[in-house]
């Protein structure tokens, strides 16, 4: 089973540049704000959680259903925020590729719901 994805963001120590003006030269140092890496990692993690949960939500009506166990196995087998959706049912792979009425439900979901998922993740990552 997948684990929650951990984002690591490293920031440069800063960069120094020199610019010349009429009176001489001026040196400026650029430094990153304190806590930048932690804030960005947290926002990327929240965006990944959003993507995982939205994919499961949109795939629910597209997943083949006899007893509902296949859908439940996807919910139980997925760690929200890991970036990986896993189905625990032993017959999940066969249903995904060989089902006569609803095969490849992830691709079907992605074709129709990709834009709102991407926009939502982008909005969360910007915060």
């Amino acid at each position: 089973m997948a684990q929650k994805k951990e984002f690591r963001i490293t920031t440069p120590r800063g960069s120094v540049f020199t610019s010349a003006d009429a009176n001489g030269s001026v040196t400026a140092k650029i430094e990153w704000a304190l806590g930048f890496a932690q804030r960005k990692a947290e926002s990327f993690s929240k965006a990944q959680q959003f993507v995982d949960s939205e994919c499961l939500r949109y795939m629910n009506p597209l997943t083949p259903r006899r007893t509902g166990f296949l859908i439940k196995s996807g919910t139980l087998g997925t760690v929200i925020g890991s970036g990986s959706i896993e189905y625990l049912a032993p017959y999940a792979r066969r249903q995904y590729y060989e089902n006569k009425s609803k095969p490849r439900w992830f691709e079907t979901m992605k074709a129709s719901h990709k834009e709102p998922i991407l926009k939502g993740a982008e909005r969360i990552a910007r915060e």
Side-chain angles (χ1 to χ4, degrees), residues 100-115:
K100 300 234 188 285
S101 62
K102 295 183 174 183
R104 293 184 167 91
W105 55 87
F106 177 76
E107 279 82 9
T108 305
M109 178 278 304
K110 189 171 66 170
S112 58
H113 298 290
K114 178 173 73 172
E115 289 304 316

Side-chain angles (χ1 to χ4, degrees), residues 1-13:
M1 185 180 273
Q3 295 180 351
K4 189 173 178 182
K5 187 177 274 189
E6 182 179 325
F7 292 93
R8 292 182 186 213
I9 298 173
T10 58
T11 57
R13 296 172 67 193

Side-chain angles (χ1 to χ4, degrees), residues 22-117:
N23 298 331
S25 65
V26 176
T27 303
K29 183 175 182 180
I30 299 173
E31 294 182 355
W32 290 91
L34 294 175
F36 170 80
Q38 182 179 359
R39 283 194 315 272
K40 280 299 174 187
E42 289 171 2
S43 66
F44 290 159
S45 180
K46 287 178 185 175
Q48 184 63 60
Q49 290 173 5
F50 173 79
V51 170
D52 292 351
S53 64
E54 288 297 285
C55 284
L56 282 172
R57 183 172 73 88
Y58 284 130
M59 284 190 302
N60 187 344
L62 302 171
T63 306
R65 177 186 327 255
R66 183 181 291 171
T67 63
F69 181 72
L70 184 59
I71 294 168
K72 191 65 148 175
S73 78
T75 304
L76 294 173
T78 301
V79 176
I80 301 294
S82 68
S84 175
I85 294 175
E86 298 180 28
Y87 286 82
L88 300 176
Y91 54 87
R93 177 182 297 271
R94 186 169 199 150
Q95 286 293 315
Y96 186 77
Y97 291 107
E98 298 178 12
N99 189 284
K100 300 234 188 285
S101 62
K102 295 183 174 183
R104 293 184 167 91
W105 55 87
F106 177 76
E107 279 82 9
T108 305
M109 178 278 304
K110 189 171 66 170
S112 58
H113 298 290
K114 178 173 73 172
E115 289 304 316
I117 293 173

